[in-house]
Amino acid sequence: YRNIAEALTNGELFCSKLKLCRSPKYSEDSNQAFIDQILKDKPTPKPEASKEDLEIIKFLGVADIHLDYHYKEGHNGDCGLPTCCQSDNDIPDDISKRAGKWGYVGECDVPKRLFDDWIDEEVDKYDFDFMIWLGDNGGHDLWKQTPDNHLLSSMHIAEKMKKKFPHIGQVYPVVGNHEGFP
């Protein structure tokens, strides 16, 4: 702080900066020579490609499927646990809290029938060149997971994709944060 305070209170510096001194003690240095030296080898920018020259690549990104093999229609979708809508959850009196046939917005993972229907019926509506499959295949019910049923979700999804997309160039699977067995 001392150097800053001295600079701010130095009359000679202000006199020089404001160009009011007859014989300034300070002069402005130009950094232009330094800048020119650094940029002398800078490549010439390429002209921007026209939109007609660009190849459009389309991909489908699929993430966080979280298949639930224990999903049970009608069971509690708001049970207070990390995963609800399962057969060991009660059937609530409040109909709005019951898991639906195709899923429930809340603490529920995806029913297998929803994923199967989506991949069998809906995916054909998308036009894409390749797929990025971002993992997170198994359910959030970690206390029920075993190596076998964890692998079951990934294998089921992989088989469905393999069967459904033989025409696309590639499916790029990525391991999600739920793929490691707890």
Side-chain angles (χ1 to χ4, degrees):
Y1 295 118
R2 184 176 180 193
N3 290 341
I4 294 172
E6 286 176 12
L8 292 175
T9 58
N10 184 331
E12 295 281 340
L13 177 64
F14 276 107
C15 178
S16 298
K17 283 280 189 195
L18 298 173
K19 300 183 183 348
L20 299 173
C21 303
R22 289 182 214 243
S23 304
K25 282 187 165 183
Y26 299 96
S27 64
E28 292 260 342
D29 284 337
S30 171
N31 292 327
Q32 194 58 50
F34 179 68
I35 293 169
D36 292 342
Q37 176 66 24
I38 290 172
L39 297 178
K40 73 178 181 179
D41 297 329
K42 178 182 173 187
T44 306
K46 294 180 181 178
E48 202 170 297
S50 69
K51 289 187 178 184
E52 294 81 34
D53 294 335
L54 297 177
E55 179 184 357
I56 295 175
I57 300 173
K58 299 178 209 169
F59 73 93
L60 176 65
V62 179
D64 297 281
I65 297 170
H66 292 291
L67 282 182
D68 186 353
Y69 282 91
H70 306 287
Y71 186 92
K72 189 74 171 173
E73 182 181 350
H75 285 253
N76 197 342
D78 190 15
C79 68
L81 295 172
T83 303
C84 301
C85 301
Q86 296 186 340
S87 56
D88 55 353
N89 300 127
D90 63 339
I91 298 175
D93 293 332
D94 183 348
I95 295 172
S96 69
K97 293 187 178 190
R98 292 182 186 171
K101 178 178 182 176
W102 299 105
Y104 180 86
V105 177
E107 300 299 327
C108 302
D109 285 327
V110 174
K112 182 179 167 291
R113 80 177 95 187
L114 175 62
F115 173 76
D116 290 347
D117 187 67
W118 173 75
I119 207 155
D120 290 340
E121 304 297 331
E122 296 297 315
V123 170
D124 288 335
K125 297 176 183 175
Y126 304 106
D127 177 29
F128 55 92
D129 301 308
F130 64 93
M131 178 189 297
I132 299 175
W133 171 22
L134 296 171
D136 286 356
N137 306 317
H140 286 98
D141 53 355
L142 299 177
W143 60 95
K144 294 181 181 177
Q145 292 293 325
T146 66
D148 288 339
N149 69 20
H150 199 75
L151 188 59
L152 180 66
S153 295
S154 295
M155 294 299 294
H156 178 75
I157 294 167
E159 287 300 318
K160 291 296 263 186
M161 288 182 181
K162 184 177 172 183
K163 183 178 176 184
K164 188 67 178 180
F165 307 121
H167 62 285
I168 66 168
Q170 196 62 257
V171 174
Y172 296 99
V174 179
V175 175
N177 65 312
H178 285 102
E179 262 57 78
F181 182 71

